Amino acid sequence: MGLIAEFRMTSERLPLVDVAEGVPEATVEFESVQGRPSGAPTFIVRVAGADADAVEAAFADADSVSDHSLVVADGGTRRYRCRPTGGPPTDLELLADNGSIPDRVLATPSGWEERRWFADREEFDQFRTFCRANDYGLRLDRLVEADEGPDGRAAGPFGSGDRSRPREMTAAQREALVTAHEMGYFDTPRTATMADVADELGVASASLSERLRRAQNHLVAAFRRADDGIKPRTN
């Protein structure tokens, strides 16, 4: 069986952390990392929920990345290309045989929030050793076994390769949903703002927004599965 880990890495030296500091209200997410024959890789980064000028200024002021350029803008979402500065991390050879796969990586003002797939506990321990060697703080939020699909590879909570259904709600998502409800975020009119709930939980507004969106997606999907009378849209 494989493992799915959700964790937070804390370090001011992680790329894009300073960008997230510049626009704390935004969601700053890695979309892909493109390797190059030599030199630093290229990051494709999605930024949503912040003023365009503020995002541009955050990239321009950042020391952790360079050569940023806008790839595409779609409403309030902008995608950028950039490269990390500085040399490679310490003890990179520790990950030479590590086949773990990042599923989602968010940059926050304090570090990265990541969801990653590991083949086994040994791979996870290798990754944790690598983090310690680089003085990256690692706070594990969730570590669960993933069932194997028919091809023998680790499958997600809803089956191998099935990305149409939402992932299992995490403890952090449930806490965000319950806290927002108790504070009146879902009331009409609202008696608490996104910032109020984020302060209560001690997280960035962008992280809270993402947790609430995924939690609500999970609830709607669970409701639809329980009610056979709801027909899926065909258009």
Side-chain angles (χ1 to χ4, degrees), residues 42-103:
T42 297
F43 296 154
I44 303 298
V45 184
R46 183 180 73 88
V47 184
D51 176 76
D53 291 338
V55 175
E56 285 286 348
F59 270 102
D61 293 341
D63 294 325
S64 68
V65 292
S66 63
D67 301 327
H68 80 279
S69 61
L70 179 66
V71 178
V72 64
D74 182 12
T77 300
R78 301 166 70 84
R79 287 173 172 80
Y80 287 87
R81 180 183 291 110
C82 61
R83 296 192 182 112
T85 57
T90 301
D91 292 344
L92 194 59
E93 64 273 9
L94 289 171
L95 299 183
D97 298 321
N98 193 293
S100 62
I101 301 172
D103 183 51

Side-chain angles (χ1 to χ4, degrees), residues 8 24-25 108-110 113 139 141 172 175-176 194-212:
R8 280 170 268 184
E25 72 278 15
T108 73
S110 60
E113 293 182 1
R139 177 176 174 180
D141 292 324
E175 181 186 28
M194 181 76 71
D196 292 334
V197 181
D199 287 343
E200 177 69 19
L201 294 172
V203 300
S205 294
S207 298
L208 174 62
S209 176
E210 188 70 19
R211 290 177 188 179
L212 288 177

Side-chain angles (χ1 to χ4, degrees), residues 11-229:
S11 173
E12 294 180 352
R13 295 182 293 107
L14 289 167
L16 295 173
V17 167
D18 46 4
V19 174
E21 287 178 344
V23 280
E25 72 278 15
T27 298
V28 182
E29 181 176 5
F30 286 85
E31 285 210 333
S32 66
V33 178
Q34 302 170 349
R36 303 169 63 204
S38 61
T42 297
F43 296 154
I44 303 298
V45 184
R46 183 180 73 88
V47 184
D51 176 76
D53 291 338
V55 175
E56 285 286 348
F59 270 102
D61 293 341
D63 294 325
S64 68
V65 292
S66 63
D67 301 327
H68 80 279
S69 61
L70 179 66
V71 178
V72 64
D74 182 12
T77 300
R78 301 166 70 84
R79 287 173 172 80
Y80 287 87
R81 180 183 291 110
C82 61
R83 296 192 182 112
T85 57
T90 301
D91 292 344
L92 194 59
E93 64 273 9
L94 289 171
L95 299 183
D97 298 321
N98 193 293
S100 62
I101 301 172
D103 183 51
R104 184 167 181 268
V105 183
L106 287 177
T108 73
S110 60
W112 290 357
E113 293 182 1
E114 186 166 349
R115 176 185 170 101
R116 183 177 281 261
W117 299 67
F118 296 90
D120 49 37
R121 187 60 187 245
E122 182 180 356
E123 274 198 355
F124 175 75
D125 289 340
Q126 284 178 339
F127 185 83
R128 184 162 53 183
T129 300
F130 167 76
C131 290
R132 288 172 176 167
N134 285 277
D135 293 325
Y136 299 154
L138 182 65
R139 177 176 174 180
L140 183 63
D141 292 324
R142 183 169 175 260
L143 184 65
V144 297
E145 290 185 342
D147 295 330
E148 288 187 348
D151 57 0
R153 293 182 296 181
F158 294 104
S160 177
D162 182 2
R163 300 182 66 87
S164 62
R165 297 170 69 180
R167 299 167 182 146
E168 180 184 353
M169 192 186 299
T170 66
Q173 291 164 8
R174 286 195 296 272
E175 181 186 28
L177 195 64
V178 170
T179 302
H181 181 267
E182 291 178 344
M183 293 182 66
Y185 177 75
F186 297 112
D187 291 353
T188 304
R190 284 178 174 164
T191 57
T193 66
M194 181 76 71
D196 292 334
V197 181
D199 287 343
E200 177 69 19
L201 294 172
V203 300
S205 294
S207 298
L208 174 62
S209 176
E210 188 70 19
R211 290 177 188 179
L212 288 177
R213 183 181 67 81
R214 290 179 177 271
Q216 291 174 79
N217 192 31
H218 174 82
L219 289 177
V220 171
F223 175 76
R224 292 190 61 176
R225 290 196 298 273
D227 191 341
D228 295 334

